[in-house]
Amino acid sequence: MLGFQFRHPGSSGAHSSFRSRRGLGVPSPQANTTMLSHLLKEHQAKQNERKELQEKRKQEAITAATCLTEALVDHLNVCVAQAYMNQRKLDHEVKTLQVQTAQFAKQTGQWIGMVENFNHAPKEIGDVENWARSIKLDIRTIATALEYVYKGQLQSAPS
């Protein structure tokens, strides 16, 4: 992973630059700097890739959250609009019912008045009937009294 290998003494290969004055298998300071620079560049490149991937995922998450929010709001708006329409219909029905109830109450009042008048008519007829009987009896009494008086005058008159 580090990009270099340690060789045994006496082995030949492309990595002979790792042999230095300090001893076998110890890289020179220039090689260390080159390797570290290379490792740093790789690390920074990977870090940049991760940042880009993270930013991309962040943007995807934001887009998905926005779509979800819009879908929820649209769904709620549909429900709210339906509830609003239902409320308007209910309000209209309530007003219609109030008008019809007022008309029914007025008509019921008229019916009650007619029934009361109808109930008074038999009472009045009964009262007239009783009055007629009473007068009839009074007239009979007067007629009978007049007959007695007339008969009494005929008998007492000299013939």
Coordinates of all heavy atoms in Angstrom, one line a residue, residues 8 19 29-30 35-36 39-40 44 46 48 59 73 80 87 94 99-100 107 109 117 119 123 126-127 139 156 159:
H8 N 15.8 -7.6 0.3 CA 16.9 -8.2 1.1 C 18.3 -7.7 0.5 O 18.3 -7.4 -0.7 CB 16.9 -9.8 1.0 CG 15.8 -10.3 1.7 ND1 15.7 -10.3 3.1 CD2 14.6 -11.0 1.3 CE1 14.6 -10.9 3.5 NE2 13.9 -11.3 2.4
R19 N 18.1 1.9 -1.1 CA 19.4 1.7 -0.4 C 20.1 3.0 -0.2 O 20.2 3.8 -1.2 CB 20.3 0.7 -1.1 CG 19.7 -0.6 -1.2 CD 20.6 -1.6 -1.9 NE 19.9 -2.7 -2.4 CZ 20.0 -3.4 -3.5 NH1 20.9 -3.0 -4.3 NH2 19.3 -4.4 -3.7
P29 N 15.7 10.3 2.2 CA 14.8 11.4 2.5 C 14.1 11.9 1.3 O 12.9 12.2 1.4 CB 15.6 12.5 3.1 CG 16.9 11.8 3.6 CD 17.1 10.6 2.7
Q30 N 14.7 11.9 0.2 CA 14.0 12.4 -1.1 C 12.9 11.4 -1.4 O 11.9 11.8 -1.8 CB 15.1 12.6 -2.2 CG 14.4 13.1 -3.4 CD 15.5 13.3 -4.5 OE1 16.6 12.8 -4.4 NE2 15.1 14.0 -5.6
M35 N 7.2 9.8 -1.7 CA 6.2 8.9 -1.3 C 5.1 9.6 -0.5 O 3.9 9.3 -0.7 CB 6.8 7.7 -0.5 CG 7.4 6.7 -1.3 SD 7.8 5.2 -0.4 CE 8.8 5.8 0.9
L36 N 5.6 10.4 0.5 CA 4.6 11.1 1.3 C 3.8 12.1 0.5 O 2.5 12.2 0.7 CB 5.3 11.9 2.4 CG 5.9 11.0 3.6 CD1 6.7 11.9 4.5 CD2 4.7 10.3 4.3
L39 N 1.3 9.9 -1.4 CA 0.3 9.5 -0.4 C -0.7 10.6 -0.1 O -1.9 10.4 0.0 CB 0.9 8.9 0.9 CG 1.6 7.5 0.7 CD1 2.3 7.2 2.0 CD2 0.6 6.5 0.4
L40 N -0.1 11.8 0.1 CA -0.9 12.9 0.4 C -1.9 13.3 -0.7 O -3.1 13.5 -0.5 CB -0.1 14.2 0.8 CG -0.8 15.4 1.1 CD1 -1.6 15.2 2.4 CD2 0.2 16.6 1.3
Q44 N -5.8 13.2 -0.5 CA -6.6 14.4 -0.9 C -7.6 14.1 -2.0 O -8.7 14.5 -2.0 CB -5.7 15.5 -1.2 CG -5.0 16.1 -0.1 CD -4.0 17.2 -0.5 OE1 -3.6 17.3 -1.6 NE2 -3.6 18.0 0.5
K46 N -8.9 11.1 -2.7 CA -10.0 10.3 -2.1 C -10.9 11.1 -1.2 O -12.1 10.9 -1.3 CB -9.4 9.1 -1.3 CG -8.8 8.0 -2.1 CD -8.2 6.9 -1.2 CE -7.6 5.8 -2.1 NZ -7.0 4.8 -1.3
N48 N -11.5 14.3 -1.6 CA -12.3 15.1 -2.6 C -13.4 14.3 -3.2 O -14.6 14.7 -3.3 CB -11.5 15.7 -3.7 CG -10.6 16.9 -3.1 OD1 -10.9 17.5 -2.1 ND2 -9.5 17.2 -3.8
Q59 N -27.4 16.5 -1.9 CA -28.3 17.1 -2.9 C -29.4 16.1 -3.2 O -30.6 16.6 -3.3 CB -27.5 17.5 -4.1 CG -26.6 18.7 -3.9 CD -27.3 19.9 -3.4 OE1 -28.4 20.2 -3.8 NE2 -26.6 20.7 -2.5
V73 N -47.6 18.1 1.1 CA -48.3 19.3 1.1 C -49.5 19.3 0.0 O -50.6 19.7 0.3 CB -47.4 20.5 0.8 CG1 -48.2 21.8 0.5 CG2 -46.5 20.8 2.0
V80 N -57.5 19.4 2.5 CA -58.0 20.7 3.0 C -59.0 21.2 2.0 O -60.1 21.7 2.5 CB -56.9 21.7 3.3 CG1 -57.4 23.1 3.5 CG2 -56.0 21.2 4.4
Q87 N -67.3 21.8 3.9 CA -67.8 22.9 4.8 C -68.8 23.8 4.1 O -69.8 24.2 4.6 CB -66.7 23.6 5.4 CG -67.1 24.6 6.5 CD -67.7 24.0 7.7 OE1 -67.3 23.0 8.1 NE2 -68.8 24.7 8.2
V94 N -77.2 24.1 5.7 CA -77.7 24.6 7.0 C -78.6 25.8 6.7 O -79.7 26.0 7.2 CB -76.5 25.0 7.9 CG1 -77.0 25.9 9.0 CG2 -75.9 23.8 8.5
V99 N -84.1 28.1 6.3 CA -85.2 28.7 5.5 C -86.4 27.8 5.6 O -87.5 28.2 5.8 CB -84.7 29.1 4.1 CG1 -85.9 29.4 3.2 CG2 -83.7 30.2 4.1
Q100 N -86.1 26.5 5.3 CA -87.2 25.6 5.2 C -87.9 25.4 6.6 O -89.1 25.3 6.7 CB -86.7 24.2 4.7 CG -86.4 24.2 3.3 CD -85.8 22.9 2.8 OE1 -85.4 22.0 3.6 NE2 -85.7 22.8 1.5
Q107 N -96.0 27.9 8.5 CA -97.1 27.0 8.0 C -97.7 26.3 9.2 O -99.0 26.2 9.2 CB -96.6 26.0 7.0 CG -97.7 25.3 6.3 CD -97.2 24.4 5.2 OE1 -96.0 24.0 5.2 NE2 -98.1 24.0 4.3
G109 N -97.8 27.3 12.2 CA -98.6 28.4 13.0 C -99.9 28.6 12.3 O -100.9 28.8 13.0
N117 N -109.5 27.8 15.2 CA -110.7 28.3 14.6 C -111.7 27.2 14.4 O -112.9 27.4 14.7 CB -110.5 29.1 13.3 CG -109.7 30.4 13.5 OD1 -109.7 30.9 14.6 ND2 -109.1 30.8 12.5
N119 N -111.9 24.4 16.1 CA -112.3 24.0 17.4 C -113.3 25.0 18.0 O -114.3 24.6 18.7 CB -111.2 23.9 18.4 CG -110.4 22.6 18.1 OD1 -110.9 21.6 17.5 ND2 -109.1 22.6 18.6
K123 N -117.8 24.8 19.2 CA -118.2 25.4 20.4 C -119.2 26.5 20.2 O -120.2 26.6 20.9 CB -117.0 26.1 21.2 CG -116.0 25.1 21.7 CD -114.9 25.8 22.4 CE -113.8 24.8 22.9 NZ -112.7 25.5 23.5
G126 N -122.3 24.8 19.3 CA -122.9 24.3 20.5 C -123.6 25.4 21.3 O -124.6 25.3 21.9
D127 N -122.9 26.6 21.4 CA -123.4 27.7 22.1 C -124.7 28.2 21.4 O -125.7 28.5 22.1 CB -122.4 28.9 22.2 CG -121.2 28.5 23.1 OD1 -121.3 27.6 23.9 OD2 -120.2 29.2 23.0
I139 N -139.8 30.7 24.7 CA -141.0 31.0 23.9 C -142.1 30.1 24.3 O -143.3 30.5 24.3 CB -140.6 30.9 22.4 CG1 -139.7 32.1 22.0 CG2 -141.8 30.9 21.5 CD1 -139.1 32.0 20.6
S156 N -163.8 33.9 31.7 CA -164.3 35.0 32.6 C -165.1 36.0 31.9 O -165.9 36.8 32.5 CB -163.1 35.6 33.4 OG -162.1 36.1 32.6
S159 N -171.0 35.9 28.7 CA -171.5 35.5 27.4 C -172.9 35.9 27.2 O -173.8 36.2 27.8 CB -171.5 34.0 27.3 OG -171.2 33.1 28.1

